Amino acid sequence: MVVRTRFAPSPTGVLHVGSVRTALFSWLYAKHHKGQFILRIEDTDQMRSTPESVQAILDGMAWLGLDYEEGPIYQTDRYERYQTVVESLLTQKKAYRCVCTKERLEAMREQQIQDKQKPRYDGHCRQLDLPAGDQPFVIRFKNPEEGIVAFQDQVYGEILIDNRELDDLVLMRSDGHPTYNFAVVVDDWDMRITHVIRGDDHINNTPKQINLFQALEAPIPQFAHLPMILGKDGKKLSKRHGAVNVMEFKSEGYLPQALLNYLVRLGWSAGDQEIFTHDEMISKFDFRHVHRGAAAFDYDKLVWINQHYMRHTPIEQMEKILVQQYALDGVDVKNGPDLSDVIPVFAERCKTIAEFCDSTRYFYQELITYDAAAVSKHLHPEALQLLDAFCQELSSLVDWDKASIHACIETFCAARNMNMGKIAQPLRVAVTGSTSSPSIDITLVLLGRDRTLARLQTAIKK
Ligand code: GLU
């Protein structure tokens, strides 16, 4: 059997980390079994589905490298198929037309609540075998009236539901739109899905869907329901917890592999291991180690993992990511040192790509911004005099490299019997605009002779 899994988001909002974690587990399961992964866009809710949300899903999947063998498949392209299937269910008397009005259904519901019963359809139209007529109708499924639906959830274990608890669910609305429970079953059947992996908010839908699979004489897939992701405070994941468009993590400077690594550990573990390469994630992933309890989203840990990836991502890959990010900021990397020289120095120091770009901007821009506090503390008249003298020494350097610059500073300080900090900090502020940069000799090497001397002149004249 070829394992086939799918990710089936509804394009009705942002693609947030909760959905991405579902996509990731589904993708990993398919990859682990050398199977296929399908992207299906469940866009039957015409009122709430938007093209922007579809785009956010496609962008997010592409950014994270969650590639699919098939798709994106849109449910709205499959209406004819749903119609054919529902008609065959009608012919086989496994479904029926229901003309109950909204008012009748509401009154019934209120009565049931008053009587402390579980609100459900009372089967009024079930035996009437109504033809299509002038009255608007929905098509309902004839759910079995007795017996138990049982399934072995890959995460939660055995789940049993009495059919008497289940409603005759609506398959087609009066406006001809299929319902979620119907479209999902037809699709999972047609797309030969072997494992349905989704959030545990769908666990109550599964018995209804299993009855439908049976009525269609379709093979029943395995099910794995994934526990929720909560905020660190145990509350429902909200914007404040990171339930934002996953692309915002990109603009905040997180690396895709870091986010995936963080998410794989959100509700799944392989011993104590925290860092997983792409291949390790695939080879180790299983359902046995998916936790049943809700997982908590923790920004600090994400930052920690991102820092790891900042240090370990190959330079060529970092270069590509950085060039894109600089371009968004309007910075041209051709106008400064080679990124392959800057990355080894800065990747260690920065938590995110955004921080990296911020702290290296002065290498690539003609005009730099000066931190006012740093200027008043370090560029006072006495310091400027020192800088002026030092600038002359520097300009006569033959080789512009770390050793020569270091020696030049040492000699300059020794001659004046002062420690190196006395010149290093004013220098740093004069050429970078702030007090934080890597060691001053490396900073000057990366900045280059011309730019260093020009910036010193500017500072001295100021
Ligand atoms: N469209 C459903 C959702 O976004 C998918 C449910 C499923 O995977 O079956 O929640």
Side-chain angles (χ1 to χ4, degrees):
M1 177 191 70
V2 178
V3 166
R4 285 172 60 91
T5 67
R6 78 326 187 254
F7 175 48
S10 306
T12 52
V14 299
L15 179 71
H16 65 65
V17 282
S19 316
V20 172
R21 204 261 320 241
T22 302
L24 172 64
F25 282 19
S26 197
W27 179 87
L28 285 172
Y29 194 77
K31 294 273 167 206
H32 180 92
H33 291 279
K34 308 211 172 354
Q36 287 150 6
F37 176 62
I38 294 153
L39 175 64
R40 181 170 79 221
I41 308 283
E42 302 206 324
D43 56 349
T44 57
D45 186 340
Q46 305 263 297
M47 298 296 281
R48 295 173 58 227
S49 298
T50 66
E52 294 75 28
S53 174
V54 171
Q55 197 54 50
I57 293 166
L58 301 180
D59 291 347
M61 300 289 281
W63 177 55
L64 292 165
L66 298 175
D67 50 349
Y68 27 90
E69 275 69 35
E70 289 171 32
I73 297 168
Y74 295 86
Q75 287 190 323
T76 43
D77 289 340
R78 292 177 41 80
Y79 275 30
E80 261 179 52
R81 173 67 182 147
Y82 305 133
Q83 196 57 43
T84 308
V85 175
V86 87
E87 269 160 25
S88 107
L89 286 172
L90 282 170
T91 314
Q92 297 174 68
K93 311 242 180 285
K94 291 176 175 173
Y96 61 94
R97 295 187 184 84
C98 166
V99 292
C100 290
T101 58
K102 221 164 114 195
E103 292 72 32
R104 176 176 188 276
L105 295 174
E106 259 161 34
M108 180 172 70
R109 193 186 144 79
E110 267 167 36
Q111 190 61 49
Q112 286 167 335
I113 293 175
Q114 250 182 37
D115 298 346
K116 307 227 172 338
Q117 288 170 2
K118 190 172 160 189
R120 61 202 295 263
Y121 182 59
D122 63 355
H124 178 267
C125 296
R126 185 171 164 122
Q127 305 306 339
L128 301 182
D129 202 8
L130 295 168
D134 295 339
Q135 254 178 303
F137 61 85
V138 299
I139 299 174
R140 285 186 187 270
F141 176 57
K142 266 190 197 164
N143 195 75
E145 285 173 302
E146 44 199 48
I148 302 281
V149 194
F151 68 100
Q152 193 66 31
D153 189 274
Q154 302 291 306
V155 174
Y156 285 96
E158 185 169 54
I159 294 181
L160 302 168
I161 299 279
D162 194 317
N163 268 319
R164 278 171 297 207
E165 299 271 319
L166 302 178
D167 238 340
D168 279 357
L169 66 100
V170 174
L171 305 176
M172 282 283 190
R173 298 198 176 86
S174 53
D175 60 5
H177 285 292
T179 58
Y180 156 69
N181 275 304
F182 179 51
V184 84
V185 169
V186 176
D187 287 353
D188 285 339
W189 175 30
D190 286 354
M191 292 164 204
R192 304 186 313 286
I193 299 302
T194 58
H195 294 75
V196 169
I197 300 159
R198 60 185 169 202
D200 68 1
D201 48 334
H202 285 290
I203 223 163
N204 290 335
N205 288 321
T206 304
K208 304 175 202 167
Q209 294 177 12
I210 289 177
N211 283 336
L212 251 173
F213 276 109
Q214 270 164 339
L216 293 166
E217 293 170 39
I220 300 170
Q222 300 277 317
F223 293 91
H225 289 94
L226 307 175
M228 303 257 286
I229 299 178
L230 302 176
K232 210 175 167 183
D233 53 6
K235 300 216 172 96
K236 193 169 174 278
L237 204 65
S238 67
K239 265 197 171 156
R240 156 174 76 88
H241 300 113
V244 292
N245 184 350
V246 73
M247 294 309 274
E248 284 190 28
F249 286 91
K250 181 181 184 204
S251 27
E252 284 169 22
Y254 292 96
L255 291 161
Q257 199 54 33
L259 186 59
L260 289 182
N261 192 147
Y262 174 69
L263 289 178
V264 81
R265 283 285 290 104
L266 213 49
W268 173 82
S269 54
D272 295 338
Q273 189 170 347
E274 290 292 358
I275 301 294
F276 294 84
T277 63
H278 178 268
D279 291 349
E280 271 176 330
M281 265 190 215
I282 292 173
S283 67
K284 296 195 174 184
F285 185 76
D286 61 356
F287 287 130
R288 264 193 315 141
H289 296 95
V290 171
H291 312 162
R292 289 187 188 178
F297 193 82
D298 177 354
Y299 254 108
D300 297 337
K301 187 167 167 199
L302 173 61
V303 169
W304 176 78
I305 290 185
N306 202 60
Q307 255 176 319
H308 170 89
Y309 281 90
M310 291 290 291
R311 271 181 258 129
H312 292 90
T313 300
I315 291 194
E316 315 80 71
Q317 218 171 310
M318 283 288 273
E319 270 188 61
K320 279 196 199 134
I321 296 171
L322 287 164
V323 166
Q324 272 188 19
Q325 185 61 40
Y326 281 123
L328 288 178
D329 296 348
V331 174
D332 182 359
V333 288
K334 286 197 232 51
N335 190 29
D338 236 38
L339 270 178
S340 57
D341 294 327
V342 179
I343 292 167
V345 179
F346 279 84
E348 298 264 341
R349 303 169 56 90
C350 300
K351 294 191 192 77
T352 64
I353 291 290
E355 188 184 342
F356 187 110
C357 291
D358 268 353
S359 28
T360 52
R361 203 180 297 260
Y362 56 78
F363 288 127
Y364 300 100
Q365 286 183 323
E366 229 40 81
L367 294 175
I368 56 171
T369 35
Y370 292 91
D371 169 0
V375 169
S376 74
K377 180 158 180 215
H378 297 286
L379 296 186
H380 43 77
E382 188 196 338
L384 290 178
Q385 261 180 10
L386 272 180
L387 280 185
D388 196 11
F390 182 67
C391 190
Q392 283 166 33
E393 305 283 332
L394 258 190
S395 53
S396 61
L397 268 190
V398 181
D399 295 317
W400 194 261
D401 55 32
K402 184 172 174 336
S404 317
I405 294 173
H406 190 81
C408 178
I409 299 174
E410 256 181 359
T411 317
F412 183 83
C413 292
R416 286 165 180 76
N417 201 18
M418 63 186 203
N419 68 31
M420 283 172 50
K422 230 168 161 187
I423 186 75
Q425 252 346 31
L427 249 179
R428 190 172 269 123
V429 176
V431 300
T432 71
S434 87
T435 52
S436 106
S437 86
S439 72
I440 192 65
D441 42 16
I442 292 182
T443 307
L444 298 192
V445 173
L446 288 173
L447 197 59
R449 182 197 295 267
D450 294 347
R451 214 168 244 170
T452 300
L453 297 177
R455 283 197 189 154
L456 284 177
Q457 286 307 330
T458 312
I460 293 159
K461 279 184 206 131
K462 267 189 177 171

